[in-house]
Every structure is written in structure tokens, then in C-alpha cells.
């Protein structure tokens, strides 16, 4: 492929949105229902469980989304794998405890519920849409199988019309089965994403039935092309009319068109509209429009379908890199797995919104959905909040990484999975590129480029408007066998020291850091002496938060920063990872207890680690950053060397220990990358009291400061909520950080008190987490030990407006209390 990818200079693409749960009374042609309540669930095989007559009275009653494995208990023998991890440069197979989180997700699970289908009668159609089901889903209606889908991360739908009984209760049953050694991280278990029932006329727009693109974008106008598929009963072909209005974010109609479709030819409309004075979508200005289409047969309304979209243009150009809306930029991205920490894999919009808000404050503008299709809620939030997405499909192709991974499905299912991925998400303005794979072993054989072309061709057929990437980790083989030049966006994992070499060989003329850094750290943990280290292990199974420890195959953040800054054609990075996640507890894969990763900039509870501020200082150009580390409570270290680092967006700063200057440091290029991005006082001697840093701007003016004081004895619990008013929808969440502080309000950095949580009023306790990767305490129990002085409790709103009281207690501590409110939407 010897071109510059300027053909990707294609423009803003829409975001699909099925109608809201119900339409107004004037337009009852389409109804959509979320099947959230009244599910019965049990683990283990259940003969005849698909039959309507089966007695499920003793099964557990649950709400969906539901992850049954997150409730534990943790055990290092759960999915104990004896494996050689080639990605970690291992030469021999060893036992891996906790590789998938130590949670009991393996086995069969059954879900059942009564299925009422309002308004179902002759001339109506009913579809079940699953946003994801983990995994090997088999779906039954009234005892008959309507379809199956093995890949647990993908969305899929089945027309259940022929299986329904009109005017009667129907029975929906879903059988799921997770295999052992099927994943490299915690996959979750169950109906962990939403299930939709969609009822339409028999003449209707099918699931993901629109495709909207924009082009010729100027300040005066943009051209909008909307293709709309229509499903009609077999043997019929009525004359149809489609009326489309484009509405801006305020609901004002800004463009309209009407198209007629005759009784012959393909049942698909193509409409072209001119959008005046378009407001462009970007991470900084995530402006959205909606195309509302009404489908008529004669004067009869048959369907109404809405497509949310944004207007933006982008280019990937040889010698220039990436630009959005004509402005060059580099991706400031993170990779994220799909679990939500203490909630497991069960999707929750409020939890996702909190994650994105924390990333936004850090200055992050892009997310790679590693290594699978994301929840649709994440994609919708990325549209709304302003994140560019690399939507990824697979962690395996034909060659396996784990015994029962996706390779067993690849030949039969890869095309189906790609089609669903692209058709579901191709209208979202946040989606900038697709990824067909991550670190696939097929890189190391001549079949790799052939498979890459096959997969790219499928994606391009479904969406010719975006380029296609892959994350590659076998640099020499990628050029030897031809993978690197074969993919349209060459992504390299952990190869900053070879970027220049790659660019000298790549016909594309640019490259992406598709997975970078993998620095490891535990929040609040500091190890001495402070040294740069690879594969460093400690007796407590933690890693140092001085942010100088990495894996044998990875780097510190600063090593990647240098190459991103110094090579123009490196178009950005996706850091591994934004958040800690369940599983992959490197470097403690072989040592239990260790149930979660340490790669995150934020821990499993969503609390920032020090590294968060290193990236914030670099990425958040709108707000200043000044952050000191470590804490300054070190009884027994008096007089010992205790280095102090400052992560700041300012070029220089001066450190004071108990009022005595330790000198002024300035960021500067050197043979040590850290000196370019951190301010470091490596010879400081610990003395109780305080450390203070004063930051200076480029003109040498003192502009900001931060002080860290030595903490006294734990005295009280202080509660800090991420927000105080929740929607009374039964789903909204408040994340409340409990801090163990001394009498003066200083965080006690080594406090490990057991804390108890009580929630009363118009909400309930949902879960809690402390960010400790070695903790085996269960997330759903209302007590947990603080980890380095902190813990996060999650409060879930009820369905009625009112006050919510939260109380957190600990032995010998003054209790923390907080009042929240729930309000009607």
C-alpha cells in the first residue's frame, strides 16, 4: 500500500441512536423497551430451562445489566492458567494465578423472564437486541432457539416474530457459558450489557439501518448523505416515502427533505441534505445533530428512526500526520478494558461518565477500546463528552494466545463480528478509526498480511470513511512478513526506541503509538531506594508510585514522551491504561494474592495515582497542574534520603523542606528522559514537618504552590462525593471517597482501618473499592479496609426523589456523614 491515506480525508460521520424507550402517543409505530427487571438467574447447567413450563421459582431475581461473577469470592485457583506469555517475553510456561482476576466467571449461567410484547399482532415485528452477552449466548423464545452468538463483546439481534404468541405471555431464556483459559483479563459473566425489545410495523427500518456521512464542509454549509434501509414483508413492495428533518442540539429544525421510493429496486433510500452553518464536532466542541426520519406508506406512518451525528473532517497524511477539522494534533489517548472496577463488567452509564470525566480532566482526548467492541453507552458518551475512539475488534485471529480464545471462532464468525461492529458504530462522530486486532501472533507468519487484508476489506466494505489500524508488538516480524505496511494505520506497541527506524520503512509515512508505557504503580506506595527498574517485585505484591518501574517489554512514560515530541510523524499515543482493571496483575502474575492490574493512571476505585498528574501536566493545556510526591509521613526514615518529585505544567519550581530551600529545578533535555518532564530533588533527607513546592512560569514569576504535611494520628473520616444530586432512575451513581484524616485534615497515608458503610433514604449501597490490587475483600459487602488512607463507596439512586444519607464509620474514628439527594429527571 504505497499511498498517503489522503483518501481518509473524509468527513463527519453520524452517530446511530435508536428511539427512546417509548415514542409520544402521536407516533406509536416503533416502541423500544429495556428489559432490565424481573429476570431469574442461576449458575450451572439446567436441563429444560428454555421451556416455558420450567419452574424457576428458586432462582435468584436479578436486574440486567448483571455480572454474576463479580460477587466472588476471589480465589487464585479460579482459571489458574499454566501458560507461557509470549507478549511478556517468557520462555517457559508457569502457573498464573489471578491472570483473569481470580473471580469465578467460568461455567454456565441461565437467565429467564416473562416476555410481554405490547401491541404485538399481525403486521408487527419484534426484535431482541443484545448489546453484549458473556459469552456463547443461545437465545430461546417459548422453548425454541432463535439464534446464538459466541463472541461475548459484540452486539447482536434476532427477529423473534415467528416465535411469539400474540396476546399471551411469552418466555425468554438465555443460556451463557464461559470457558476456562478463554481470556487474558477478567471478561465478566452474564447479561452484562443491556437487552432491548424493539417492536415495529412489518414495514420498518431494521436495527442499525441508517448510514450517515457528511462532506464538503465549509463555514457556510456541509453536505449530509443519509442512506436508510427498509425491511418489508416477503412478497410485498409498497410505495414508500421518507421524510427527514435535521435538528440541532437545541431541537431546532435546520434542514428537511422528502424522498419517494417506488415498488421496484432495492428497498433503500438515499437522501442528500445541505446543513447550513454547521458547528463542528471535536473533543473540545462535541456538538451533535439528529436526523429524524419518518417512514410512510401512503399516509400511514410505518416507522420513525433517529440518527444522531456530528460534523467533522479528518486526515491522515504522509509526512504530516493526523489533523481534525484542518488542525494538526496528536492523540492523547488511553487504552481501557471494559470492566468498571467494583461493578465488574455490568455496564452503567453513570460509572462510565465518571471515568470519562476523570480522563477529560487529565487532558485525555482519545480512547482505544481494548481489545474488543465497547458498550454502546461508552460510544454515545464519547460523542457527547468529546473523545475520539479507536474501536477494536479482536485480541486473536487464527493463531491462539490462550487455549480457548477467539481463534476457535475466527473462521466462521470474524466477518459477522466485524459487520456488526461497524454497522452499529459507523455513525458516531467519536469513532475515528477501527482496529482489526491487537498483538495477534499471526504477525509472525506470511499469512498475517493476507488475514489483515481480508479483515480490512470487510471493514472498508461496511464503512469506507475511516482508516483501519492494528496494534503490533513484533517489530521485526511486522516488517519481515509484511504486516506493518499492510495495515492502513500502523500501530506499534511499546516500540518508541524504534519509531525512527519504522518511519524509514513505512509507505504510510506516519505511525501511531497504539499501546504505550505500561508503567506499573500502586497508589500511595513508595519504595526505597528510588531507582528505575524493570520487572521489580516486592514482598507486598505492590509497585512503587515514583513511576519509574515498568515491565521487561515496556517503558516509563517519559521515554514515550520524547519520541512523541521529537518525531512529527508519530501521531500520538494510547497509554496502557487509563484505569486499573481486573486481571493481568503484572508483574505478579505468578504470585497470589494479586487480582488486578497496576498499569492504570487511576486505580481500580477510580482514584488518581501520582502518574495521573504526570500526564495531566502534559495533556491538560487549559488548567495548570502542580503535584508533589511522595507523602511526607515517614516515621523511622528521619535523616534518610527520600526523593521528592513534582509533576507540573510549569517549566520550573523550587522545593522547601520545613521552610529551607532545596534549590530550584528546571525541566531540560538530557540523556535521562525524566529530567525533561519531571522536576526531581533526589537527595532530600526526610524530616517531619512539611514540603512545599513553588512553581514558576516561563518568565520566572511564582504562580502556584502546593504543600504536603506530615500527618498525625488518624482522627476522623471525611467524605467527598463526585456529585451530590442523583437522578431518581434506579441507576445513577455517586462515588464518595472516604479519607482517613488527622485532626488537622491531613490524609493519613498509611491508614488501613476497616470502614463500614451505611446508606439510608432514597438510595442504597451499591459497592466499594480501595484500589488495593492484593485485597480479597468483596466489593458488594459494606465494609472494607482503607488502602493508604482512602476508600471509595458507591451509592445508587432509588426510583423516587428524596434524601440519601451516607455514614461511614471505623473503630476509634469520628464517623463521616454526608447527605445526597435524588431528583426526578
Amino acid at each position: 500500500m504505497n499511498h498517503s491515506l489522503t483518501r481518509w480525508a473524509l468527513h463527519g460521520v453520524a452517530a446511530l441512536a435508536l428511539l427512546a424507550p417509548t415514542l409520544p402517543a402521536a407516533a406509536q409505530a416503533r416502541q423500544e423497551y429495556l428489559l432490565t427487571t424481573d429476570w431469574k438467574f442461576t449458575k450451572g447447567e439446567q436441563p429444560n430451562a428454555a421451556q416455558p413450563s420450567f419452574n424457576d421459582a428458586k432462582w435468584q431475581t436479578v436486574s440486567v445489566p448483571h455480572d454474576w461473577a463479580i460477587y466472588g469470592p476471589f480465589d487464585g485457583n479460579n482459571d489458574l492458567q499454566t501458560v507461557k506469555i509470549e507478549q511478556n517475553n517468557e520462555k517457559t510456561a508457569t502457573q498464573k494465578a489471578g491472570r483473569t482476576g481470580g473471580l469465578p466467571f467460568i461455567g454456565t449461567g441461565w437467565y429467564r423472564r416473562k416476555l410481554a410484547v405490547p401491541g404485538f399482532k399481525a403486521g408487527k415485528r419484534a426484535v431482541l437486541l443484545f448489546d453484549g452477552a458473556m459469552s456463547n449466548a443461545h437465545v430461546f423464545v417459548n422453548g425454541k432457539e432463535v439464534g446464538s452468538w459466541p463472541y461475548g463483546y459484540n452486539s447482536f439481534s434476532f427477529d423473534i416474530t415467528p416465535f411469539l404468541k400474540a396476546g399471551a405471555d411469552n418466555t425468554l431464556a438465555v443460556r451463557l457459558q464461559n470457558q476456562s483459559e478463554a481470556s487474558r483479563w477478567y471478561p465478566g459473566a452474564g447479561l452484562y450489557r443491556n437487552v432491548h425489545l424493539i417492536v415495529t410495523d412489518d414495514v420498518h427500518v431494521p436495527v442499525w439501518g441508517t448510514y450517515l456521512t457528511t462532506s464538503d464542509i465549509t463555514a457556510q454549509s456541509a453536505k449530509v448523505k443519509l442512506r436508510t434501509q427498509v425491511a418489508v414483508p416477503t412478497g410485498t413492495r409498497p410505495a414508500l416515502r421518507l421524510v427527514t428533518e435535521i435538528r440541532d442540539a437545541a431541537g431546532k429544525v435546520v434542514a428537511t427533505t422528502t424522498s419517494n421510493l417506488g415498488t421496484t429496486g432495492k428497498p433503500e433510500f438515499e437522501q442528500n441534505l445541505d446543513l447550513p452553518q454547521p458547528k463542528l464536532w471535536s473533543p473540545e466542541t462535541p456538538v451533535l445533530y439528529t436526523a429524524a426520519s419518518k417512514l410512510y406508506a401512503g399516509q400511514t406512518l410505518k416507522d420513525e428512526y433517529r440518527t444522531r451525528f456530528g460534523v467533522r473532517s479528518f486526515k491522515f497524511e504522509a509526512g504530516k500526520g493526523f489533523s481534525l477539522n484542518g488542525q494538526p494534533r496528536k492523540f492523547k489517548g488511553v487504552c481501557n478494558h471494559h470492566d468498571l472496577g467494583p461493578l465488574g463488567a455490568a455496564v452503567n452509564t453513570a460509572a462510565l461518565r465518571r471515568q470519562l470525566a476523570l480522563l477529560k480532566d487529565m487532558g485525555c482526548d482519545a480512547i482505544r477500546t481494548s481489545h474488543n467492541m465497547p458498550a454502546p453507552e461508552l460510544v454515545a458518551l464519547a460523542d457527547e463528552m468529546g473523545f475520539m475512539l479507536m474501536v477494536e475488534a479482536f485480541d486473536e485471529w487464527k493463531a491462539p494466545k490462550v487455549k480457548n480464545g477467539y481463534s476457535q471462532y475466527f473462521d466462521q464468525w470474524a466477518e459477522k463480528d466485524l459487520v456488526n461492529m461497524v454497522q452499529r458504530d459507523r455513525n458516531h462522530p467519536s469513532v475515528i478509526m477501527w482496529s482489526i486486532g491487537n498483538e495477534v501472533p499471526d504477525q509472525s507468519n506470511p499469512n498475517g498480511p493476507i488475514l489483515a487484508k481480508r479483515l480490512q476489506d470487510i471493514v472498508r466494505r461496511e464503512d469506507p470513511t475511516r482508516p483501519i489500524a492494528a496494534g503490533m508488538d513484533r517489530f521485526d516480524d511486522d516488517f519481515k512478513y509484511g504486516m506493518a505496511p499492510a495495515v492502513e494505520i500502523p500501530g506499534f506497541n511499546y516500540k518508541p526506541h524504534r519509531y525512527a527506524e519504522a518511519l524509514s520503512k513505512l509507505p504510510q509515512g506516519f505511525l501511531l503509538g497504539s499501546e504505550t508505557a505500561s508503567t506499573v504503580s500502586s497508589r500511595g506506595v513508595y519504595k526505597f531506594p528510588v531507582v528505575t527498574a524493570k520487572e521489580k517485585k516486592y514482598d507486598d505484591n505492590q509497585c512503587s508510585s515514583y513511576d519509574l518501574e515498568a515491565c521487561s517489554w515496556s517503558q516509563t512514560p517519559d521515554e514515550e514522551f520524547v519520541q512523541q515530541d521529537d518525531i512529527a510523524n508519530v501521531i500520538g499515543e494510547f497509554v496502557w491504561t487509563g484505569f486499573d482493571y481486573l486481571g493481568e496483575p503484572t508483574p505478579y502474575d505468578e504470585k497470589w494474592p494479586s487480582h488486578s492490574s497496576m498499569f492504570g493512571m487511576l486505580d481500580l476505585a477510580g482514584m488518581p495515582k501520582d502518574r495521573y498528574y504526570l500526564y495531566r501536566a502534559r495533556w491538560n493545556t487549559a488548567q495548570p497542574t502542580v503535584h508533589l510526591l511522595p507523602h511526607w509521613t515517614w516515621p523511622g526514615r528521619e535523616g534518610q534520603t527520600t526523593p521528592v518529585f513534582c509533576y507540573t505544567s510549569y517549566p520550573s519550581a523550587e522545593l522547601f523542606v520545613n521552610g529551607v530551600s532545596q534549590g530550584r529545578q528546571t525541566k531540560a533535555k538530557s540523556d535521562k528522559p525524566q529530567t525533561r518532564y519531571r522536576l526531581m530533588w533526589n537527595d532530600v533527607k526526610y524530616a517531619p514537618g512539611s514540603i512545599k513546592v513553588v512553581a514558576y512560569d516561563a518568565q520566572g514569576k511564582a504562580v502556584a504552590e502546593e504543600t504536603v504535611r506530615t500527618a498525625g494520628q488518624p482522627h476522623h473520616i471525611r467524605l467527598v462525593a463526585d456529585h451530590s444530586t442523583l437522578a431518581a432512575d434506579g441507576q445513577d451513581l455517586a462515588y464518595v471517597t472516604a479519607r482517613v484524616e488527622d485532626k488537622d485534615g491531613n490524609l493519613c497515608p498509611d491508614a488501613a482501618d476497616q470502614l463500614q458503610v451505611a446508606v439510608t433514604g432514597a438510595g442504597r449501597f451499591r459497592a466499594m473499592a480501595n484500589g488495593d490490587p492484593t485485597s480479597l475483600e468483596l466489593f458488594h459487602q459494606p465494609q472494607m479496609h482503607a488502602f493508604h488512607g482512602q476508600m471509595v463507596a458507591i451509592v445508587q439512586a432509588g426510583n423516587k426523589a428524596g434524601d440519601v444519607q451516607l455514614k461511614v464509620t471505623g473503630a476509634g474514628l469520628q464517623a463521616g456523614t454526608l447527605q445526597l439527594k435524588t431528583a426526578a429527571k
Side-chain angles (χ1 to χ4, degrees), residues 136-138 145-152 154-158 373 393-394 396-398 405-421 454-455 458 461:
N136 293 289
H138 291 261
E145 185 168 354
V146 301
S148 63
W149 204 278
Y151 196 26
N154 213 348
S155 297
F156 57 92
S157 64
F158 301 124
M373 301 82 173
F394 306 124
E396 283 184 9
W397 293 349
K398 290 181 72 69
Y406 188 79
S407 58
Q408 65 185 308
Y409 308 121
F410 182 85
D411 287 337
Q412 182 180 353
W413 286 93
E415 180 170 2
K416 299 172 187 176
D417 278 318
L418 287 175
V419 168
N420 279 22
M421 177 186 80
R454 172 190 161 197
L455 299 177
I458 294 167
R461 181 190 73 204

Side-chain angles (χ1 to χ4, degrees), residues 27 39 44 141 148 159 205 209 233 295 350 377 482 519 585 701 730 737 757 763-764:
W39 288 89
V141 172
S148 63
D159 187 332
V205 179
L295 177 66
E377 289 84 356
T519 304
K701 179 182 178 182
T737 302
V757 176
R764 68 181 183 90

Side-chain angles (χ1 to χ4, degrees), residues 465-679:
T465 71
R466 293 177 182 84
I468 301 152
M472 298 175 288
D473 67 328
R474 304 185 179 197
F475 188 95
D476 293 318
D477 284 353
D478 292 325
F479 285 98
K480 176 181 178 180
Y481 295 104
M483 271 282 288
V487 292
E488 293 163 346
I489 303 289
F492 291 95
N493 295 1
Y494 311 111
K495 299 296 183 292
H497 54 293
R498 304 191 75 176
Y499 285 167
E501 178 186 353
L503 285 168
S504 71
K505 300 176 180 179
L506 287 168
Q508 297 93 326
F510 58 85
L511 63 82
L512 174 67
S514 45
E515 193 169 314
T516 65
S518 275
T519 304
V520 289
S521 63
S522 303
R523 179 186 53 79
V525 174
Y526 304 94
K527 301 294 188 179
F528 303 98
V530 178
V531 295
T532 303
K534 295 286 185 80
E535 297 294 321
K536 184 69 173 176
K537 298 178 184 178
Y538 303 94
D539 290 341
D540 62 0
N541 288 15
Q542 304 289 355
C543 294
S544 178
S545 199
Y546 275 105
D547 301 322
L548 292 171
E549 297 177 4
C551 306
S552 63
W553 37 269
S554 64
Q555 297 84 31
T556 60
D558 322 72
E559 294 168 77
E560 181 71 30
F561 294 166
V562 168
Q563 303 305 319
Q564 292 285 337
D565 287 346
D566 290 355
I567 306 178
N569 294 354
V570 178
I571 62 174
E573 65 172 316
F574 288 84
V575 181
W576 193 265
T577 52
F579 290 80
D580 278 347
Y581 55 93
L582 291 162
E584 288 195 315
T586 310
Y588 299 104
D589 306 83
E590 301 168 15
K591 189 179 178 187
W592 186 258
S594 194
H595 68 238
S596 57
S597 79
M598 303 183 190
F599 300 118
M601 304 159 175
L602 300 105
D603 68 19
L604 201 69
M607 288 184 277
K609 304 180 188 178
D610 293 297
R611 195 156 19 104
Y612 176 93
Y613 299 98
L614 179 62
Y615 283 93
R616 190 183 193 276
R618 174 177 170 80
W619 283 354
N620 186 337
T621 57
Q623 298 171 302
T625 298
V626 180
H627 176 76
L628 268 178
L629 65 137
H631 63 74
W632 207 241
T633 305
W634 296 104
R637 285 194 63 81
E638 289 80 4
Q640 295 185 42
T641 300
T642 306
V644 176
F645 291 1
C646 178
Y647 297 158
T648 181
S649 50
Y650 295 110
S652 64
E654 185 174 5
L655 178 71
F656 297 86
V657 177
N658 294 326
V660 178
S661 176
Q662 306 298 302
R664 186 164 164 175
Q665 297 285 344
T666 301
K667 296 175 186 176
K669 291 184 179 181
S670 75
D671 57 353
K672 294 182 178 180
Q674 283 77 24
T675 64
R676 190 166 168 179
Y677 303 100
R678 317 179 191 206
L679 301 176

Side-chain angles (χ1 to χ4, degrees), residues 742-800:
D742 70 7
K743 63 181 179 59
D744 297 319
N746 298 304
L747 178 70
C748 297
D750 288 325
D753 304 75
Q754 187 180 61
L755 306 180
Q756 289 81 35
V757 176
V759 179
T760 56
R764 68 181 183 90
F765 169 76
R766 177 66 179 84
M768 62 198 302
N770 60 13
D772 180 0
T774 72
S775 173
L776 301 184
E777 296 172 288
L778 300 177
F779 301 125
H780 66 286
Q781 299 291 348
Q783 65 273 330
M784 183 173 285
H785 288 83
F787 181 60
H788 290 280
Q790 298 187 85
M791 176 275 295
V792 171
I794 305 174
V795 177
Q796 186 161 342
N799 290 302
K800 295 181 179 179

Side-chain angles (χ1 to χ4, degrees), residues 53-126:
S53 59
F54 184 87
N55 184 357
D56 58 17
K58 294 183 178 180
W59 289 16
Q60 181 184 3
T61 300
V62 300
S63 295
V64 168
H66 177 243
D67 177 0
W68 55 260
I70 194 61
Y71 299 99
F74 289 103
D75 190 322
N77 293 312
N78 285 328
D79 200 31
L80 187 66
Q81 298 185 16
T82 301
V83 64
K84 177 180 68 174
I85 303 177
E86 294 184 9
Q87 290 75 25
N88 292 1
N89 300 319
E90 293 182 356
K91 304 302 182 185
T92 59
T94 57
Q95 274 198 345
K96 304 296 191 298
R99 190 183 190 198
T100 51
L103 288 163
F105 67 89
I106 296 166
T108 301
W110 276 93
Y111 292 83
R112 284 170 50 92
R113 60 162 288 158
K114 294 296 183 182
L115 184 65
V117 186
F120 183 73
K121 59 185 178 181
K124 293 287 186 179
R125 308 297 296 183

Side-chain angles (χ1 to χ4, degrees), residues 19 23 27-33 117-127 159-161 197-207 229-234 236 238-240 294-305:
L19 290 179
L23 289 170
Q28 292 292 327
R30 171 181 291 259
Q31 299 280 2
E32 181 175 345
Y33 308 90
V117 186
F120 183 73
K121 59 185 178 181
K124 293 287 186 179
R125 308 297 296 183
V127 169
D159 187 332
I160 61 171
T161 307
L197 171 65
I198 305 167
V199 182
T200 66
D201 195 282
D202 56 6
V203 176
H204 64 280
V205 179
V207 171
Q229 300 175 32
V230 179
V232 298
T234 302
T236 67
L240 301 172
K294 292 183 178 180
L295 177 66
Y296 293 90
Q299 297 303 310
T300 302
L301 178 66
K302 291 292 187 180
D303 201 0
E304 185 171 353
Y305 199 95

